[in-house]
Amino acid sequence: EAQVTQNPRYLITVTGKKLTVTCSQNMNHEYMSWYRQDPGLGLRQIYYSMNVEVTDKGDVPEGYKVSRKEKRNFPLILESPSPNQTSLYFCASSRDAYEQYFGPGTRLTVT
Amino acid sequence: DAKTTQPPSMDCAEGRAANLPCNHSTISGNEYVYWYRQIHSQGPQYIIHGLKNNETNEMASLIITEDRKSSTLILPHATLRDTAVYYCIVRSYYNAGNMLTFGGGTRLMVKP
């Protein structure tokens, strides 16, 4: 089954404790993105990748890092999480500009 | 990317067609109309897209007016599982980061 998986689905952590949210897709897609969704602000892109070893900033990259060492994986790293990074995070992948596949989401709470 | 305007909410009876409108009066010639939906905090799901012709797939139909300033997404036989927020997005094919910008969307409630 074609899918994008994210782990963990839920995470509660404390300020400053480094964390990684994993994202994996099994469709051999070139494009992958990370978004965050906050009430009243819609979906905002954090980082994207157009292929292995090619990443770039989206609209809200501050406080986040990503890497793309393999085509299928695109982890999101928060080196020193802060409460304003409490959000619902989605990973997405696509082969082209038409149809993007989204993961199930990771709900992160930073206290 | 062009801005879109959608009604904040709509109701539809189960089994009836749901017609969701979207205004995009500033759309430019190379911009596509995309529809996604999000069911209660799940990941957004692609529904359909079009440039100028009407489009149909197994999920829905997309009707784009001749001047391309508005469009309608049609779910032909709405079910309770179609209750979701529906987003109309207008963007060009070539977009840095393949980014999607979601606005407020229309909250569709399908009622028995």
Side-chain angles (χ1 to χ4, degrees):
Chain A
E1 181 192 352
Q3 61 181 349
V4 177
T5 56
Q6 295 178 225
N7 282 292
R9 295 289 313 281
Y10 302 90
L11 179 60
I12 301 174
T13 190
V14 296
T15 299
K17 186 175 180 183
K18 181 179 178 180
L19 66 92
T20 299
V21 184
T22 65
C23 173
S24 183
Q25 50 96 0
N26 63 359
M27 295 166 280
N28 202 38
H29 287 165
E30 280 76 31
Y31 291 96
M32 295 188 76
S33 296
W34 275 103
Y35 292 85
R36 61 178 289 174
Q37 187 172 34
D38 303 287
L41 295 176
L43 216 63
R44 295 178 292 168
Q45 192 183 56
I46 303 170
Y47 266 95
Y48 65 92
S49 169
M50 296 175 69
N51 216 322
V52 176
E53 303 291 1
V54 181
T55 63
D56 210 341
K57 297 177 181 178
D59 278 352
V60 289
E62 292 77 22
Y64 304 94
K65 285 175 58 177
V66 293
S67 68
R68 188 95 182 272
K69 294 185 172 57
E70 309 163 277
K71 201 170 190 179
R72 63 184 293 125
N73 296 322
F74 191 44
L76 179 70
I77 303 153
L78 286 72
E79 295 269 4
S80 183
S82 63
N84 64 10
Q85 292 178 297
T86 291
S87 187
L88 180 58
Y89 291 86
F90 291 105
C91 179
S93 76
S94 63
R95 182 186 70 243
D96 52 34
Y98 296 133
E99 181 175 358
Q100 293 200 31
Y101 291 78
F102 283 80
T106 294
R107 190 168 292 279
L108 172 66
T109 301
V110 184
T111 62
Chain B
D1 296 338
K3 180 177 168 56
T4 62
T5 303
Q6 300 177 251
S9 64
M10 291 181 65
D11 289 345
C12 177
E14 190 178 18
R16 300 288 209 143
N19 296 282
L20 293 96
C22 180
N23 286 321
H24 31 80
S25 59
T26 60
I27 192 170
S28 60
N30 66 344
E31 289 182 319
Y32 288 76
V33 180
Y34 296 79
W35 283 85
Y36 279 75
R37 73 181 183 184
Q38 188 173 21
I39 298 171
H40 188 55
S41 295
Q42 296 179 21
Q45 177 188 23
Y46 165 85
I47 301 172
I48 199 166
H49 75 275
L51 183 61
K52 56 177 107 174
N53 297 322
N54 297 338
E55 303 287 345
T56 295
N57 63 20
E58 64 277 3
M59 285 182 72
S61 294
L62 174 60
I63 309 298
I64 302 174
T65 58
E66 195 166 339
D67 63 7
R68 303 211 320 126
K69 293 184 186 300
S70 66
S71 60
T72 301
L73 178 75
I74 301 172
L75 307 179
H77 305 288
T79 70
L80 298 178
R81 285 179 294 183
D82 292 321
T83 292
V85 179
Y86 287 77
Y87 296 99
C88 170
I89 300 157
V90 171
R91 52 155 279 191
S92 57
Y93 181 86
Y94 295 106
N95 167 304
N98 207 16
M99 182 168 60
L100 292 172
T101 302
F102 287 65
T106 296
R107 187 173 297 276
L108 175 69
M109 180 75 73
V110 180
K111 298 185 173 179

